[in-house]
Amino acid sequence: MTNSQADRPTNHDGATRLTTPFSSRATAEEVIAGVDLTGRRAVVTGGASGLGAATVRALAAAGAEVTIATRSPRSADPVVEELAGIAGVGRVRAEALDLSDLASVDAFARAWRGPLDILVANAGIMALPALALTPGGWEAQLATNYLGHFALATGLHAALRDAGSARVVVVSSGAHRNVPFDFDDPHFARRPYDPWTAYGQSKSADVLLAVGARRWAADGITANALNPGYILTGLQRHLDDDTMRAFGVMDGDGNLKPLPYYKTPAQGASTSVLLAASPLLNGVTGRYFEDNQEARMVAGDEDTPGGVAAHALAPDAADRLWEYGTTAVLGG
């Protein structure tokens, strides 16, 4: 092996880690510059605000027809109206989708017509202060962040296949690093509920969803997960002021103040858009990205920022979770 080969970063399976020319501060518009998505169709969950809205803007500006899937379609009116009528921008519309309700997910998937080129699983909830269960008995963060998206992706599988070369993008979080999926007690029936443990578990499940979707490669479907970084959005709505102050992002008067390493929504959405539309990702599947690069694998207790934990990329765990999710969806 030459020195140049030895210096090239590798991922979990020994293959060269994918790198791109885009920095951690690149915007969604910058990573998609020059890409023409005219005639392509995309669904972005949670696309009415925050990272989702920034993702919608970038995909639509490249010409894609984008459906915002959200619990309250009227909440997407500002984004839809902002983009309507702008020359070269793809049509944007909103449809109802409640990821915590499998009947709602099923209705959305059944109503879809035609091929689907891009599915961005962006919506999520974080750190619910008390244990909440869905009618199906699932812990609410796991149900919304993982199961709803799993049900949506599998429900739209035929539409993704019919596109010929479709991409699934799953928004995860660095919170996955210390929390493997607990197959023995995923819904906190026996262990004490902790908001951050529940959130981290749901985000490990999100990465495993992308790994498990490797079974769709023969259908021309690729799937990858990502950590968007630190951004102040509606995701923090369940955190009280004391917690926000402890994180250093709120002053004594209740004003939000992003820390220097925080990103804007447009910067945070860049990795989502990169995975959704960049030709640099052609044929790439089952990987985890951050700051517009494929992440390195880290140990769960490693005291460094970033990276992906081995438990989130384990094929056996991904297959086990796929079966677990399938049983829940069919049983729901």
Side-chain angles (χ1 to χ4, degrees):
M1 180 180 291
T2 67
N3 287 338
S4 61
Q5 289 174 321
D7 290 341
R8 298 178 69 183
T10 58
N11 64 15
H12 63 284
D13 58 7
T16 300
R17 286 209 315 271
L18 191 151
T19 60
T20 81
F22 303 108
S23 75
S24 62
R25 293 291 175 174
T27 66
E29 290 74 14
E30 289 169 343
V31 302
I32 205 174
V35 176
D36 184 2
L37 297 180
T38 302
R40 306 292 293 275
R41 306 173 75 204
V43 169
V44 179
T45 67
S49 63
L51 291 178
T55 302
V56 169
R57 290 186 182 98
L59 296 177
E65 175 188 314
V66 185
T67 297
I68 297 172
T70 178
R71 291 180 64 180
S72 173
R74 292 301 301 272
S75 67
D77 284 352
V79 178
V80 173
E81 293 168 4
E82 170 194 336
L83 298 172
I86 300 177
V89 173
R91 177 173 176 258
V92 178
R93 64 190 180 101
E95 296 292 342
L97 174 69
D98 182 349
L99 289 163
S100 68
D101 180 352
L102 289 180
S104 173
V105 177
D106 182 63
F108 182 96
R110 288 179 181 275
W112 186 265
R113 295 292 180 268
L116 175 62
D117 301 278
I118 300 166
L119 171 60
V120 182
N122 167 83
I125 55 176
M126 180 176 75
L128 298 185
L131 176 63
L133 301 177
T134 67
W138 278 60
E139 188 276 319
Q141 293 183 78
L142 188 59
T144 300
N145 298 348
Y146 160 71
L147 182 62
H149 282 128
F150 173 81
L152 182 64
T154 54
L156 292 171
H157 172 258
L160 292 163
R161 180 196 61 215
D162 291 348
S165 180
R167 297 186 185 186
V168 177
V169 178
V170 187
V171 179
S172 181
S173 164
H176 84 275
R177 280 185 37 173
N178 296 320
V179 192
F181 189 86
D182 189 333
F183 286 97
D184 294 326
D185 189 18
H187 309 298
F188 298 87
R190 294 178 297 279
R191 55 180 170 150
Y193 174 76
D194 176 79
W196 293 107
T197 299
Y199 180 64
Q201 174 183 245
S202 75
K203 290 305 178 178
S204 281
D206 281 340
V207 185
L208 291 170
L209 192 165
V211 175
R214 70 191 185 284
R215 68 195 62 215
W216 290 347
D219 295 325
I221 303 168
T222 59
N224 293 286
L226 70 120
N227 170 18
Y230 292 94
I231 311 101
L232 289 177
T233 68
L235 186 64
Q236 294 88 21
R237 62 187 176 276
H238 296 292
L239 304 184
D240 59 31
D241 288 357
D242 287 342
T243 300
M244 294 293 281
R245 291 189 183 99
F247 286 164
V249 293
M250 179 179 284
D251 63 23
D253 296 324
N255 301 308
L256 295 178
K257 51 170 191 174
L259 295 168
Y261 56 86
Y262 273 52
K263 299 181 181 182
T264 66
Q267 291 169 334
S270 64
T271 308
S272 293
V273 172
L274 180 84
L275 300 184
S278 174
L280 297 173
L281 272 294
N282 287 344
V284 175
T285 194
R287 304 191 191 186
Y288 176 93
F289 291 75
E290 61 191 2
D291 292 337
N292 297 310
Q293 315 295 332
E294 185 176 0
R296 67 186 183 91
M297 185 177 288
V298 295
D301 58 354
E302 187 173 324
D303 189 21
T304 56
V308 58
H311 65 251
L313 294 176
D316 56 345
D319 291 341
R320 186 178 178 187
L321 183 60
W322 194 280
E323 294 305 315
Y324 186 73
T326 299
T327 299
V329 170
L330 294 179

